[in-house]
Amino acid sequence: MSIVNLFEEELERELKKHGLNMGDVKEYETESGKSVVIHLTSGMTIRIHDPYLAKLAKAKTDEEILVTTLSKDNLLKRLYALESIFRGAKDWQEFLSKYSSLQPPEILRKIREIEEENRRHIPNLKKYLMARVCSLILRKARFYPQNIEEVLSQLTTQELSEIYVKLAALPEDTKYDARELLSYI
């Protein structure tokens, strides 16, 4: 279940206590991280003191910001990296044909689903991505560049995801110059 759905369920439950429903909500805002202020279409305002609901409201806003900040292409790359690591290797083109029709909120929902299923492994995601990138370099390069782990350790998981996709999309039957592969980094 996404943060958006969870927030809306909890908000609906609170609204029912006041004889209202989601259709009555014009907008909402969090107040000091402990309350949610709901502006109704009727012009009235309701303040619900519930830290959990306020936390969900903030997470929903953060999720919406993430969807608008990251491009669809970057979200797909992150999803591909997660799918590859946690659900088994897939061909990039096969993956694209399956998921490219999804909209950013749907892609983010899939990302969150995989992250939730594998939450105990998520702290190690960067290490997993580094290992995958190094493995691809070993398979596709004529030689293994020195200090590659050090270079990769400076990158974010999103940057590693993007590099992983670029390297994974390269044909398997060709050996590349390591400097050429490093240009992806």
Side-chain angles (χ1 to χ4, degrees):
M1 173 179 285
S2 75
I3 295 291
V4 173
N5 292 344
L6 190 57
F7 169 72
E8 288 176 355
E9 274 185 19
E10 291 296 321
L11 182 58
E12 185 79 41
R13 191 172 299 134
E14 287 294 325
L15 290 170
K16 282 182 181 177
K17 292 177 185 176
H18 300 283
L20 301 166
N21 62 44
M22 288 297 286
D24 299 319
V25 177
K26 180 178 175 185
E27 61 185 8
Y28 69 90
E29 59 187 305
T30 59
E31 192 174 77
S32 69
K34 294 180 181 162
S35 301
V36 177
V37 178
I38 303 165
H39 303 281
L40 303 174
T41 54
S42 65
M44 291 178 48
T45 301
I46 297 175
R47 180 173 281 107
I48 299 173
H49 182 74
D50 183 345
Y52 177 67
L53 187 62
K55 184 177 178 181
L56 286 175
K58 183 181 179 329
K60 177 182 183 275
T61 303
D62 291 347
E63 186 171 302
E64 290 166 347
I65 289 169
L66 188 58
V67 166
T68 59
T69 303
L70 286 178
S71 69
K72 179 178 177 178
D73 187 47
N74 285 342
L75 287 169
L76 281 169
K77 288 174 182 175
R78 184 165 184 94
L79 179 59
Y80 176 70
L82 290 169
E83 283 266 341
S84 177
I85 290 170
F86 296 118
R87 294 187 173 168
K90 290 186 183 345
D91 177 66
W92 172 243
Q93 294 305 319
E94 184 182 310
F95 172 86
L96 274 180
S97 67
K98 183 176 179 180
Y99 291 110
S100 63
S101 63
L102 295 179
Q103 295 304 310
E106 297 166 314
I107 298 168
L108 188 61
R109 196 171 6 267
K110 291 260 184 215
I111 289 169
R112 295 289 187 240
E113 179 182 301
I114 294 170
E115 288 175 344
E116 182 61 29
E117 288 170 4
N118 299 284
R119 85 177 121 218
R120 67 186 188 128
H121 298 290
I122 292 300
N124 297 318
L125 181 59
K126 185 172 183 174
K127 279 195 281 188
Y128 297 156
L129 281 167
M130 286 175 55
R132 290 286 176 112
V133 168
C134 288
S135 174
L136 282 172
I137 291 172
L138 272 173
R139 277 199 331 249
K140 297 184 180 207
R142 290 189 187 94
F143 64 89
Y144 191 72
Q146 284 185 317
N147 302 329
I148 189 66
E149 291 90 358
E150 186 179 320
V151 172
L152 294 176
S153 69
Q154 306 300 316
L155 303 174
T156 66
T157 55
Q158 183 61 38
E159 291 167 329
L160 287 167
S161 297
E162 292 171 23
I163 292 165
Y164 178 71
V165 168
K166 289 176 187 174
L167 294 175
L170 294 173
E172 287 287 333
D173 57 349
T174 307
K175 286 288 188 183
Y176 298 87
D177 182 58
R179 287 181 295 272
E180 185 181 348
L181 294 180
L182 288 176
S183 70
Y184 290 111
I185 297 175

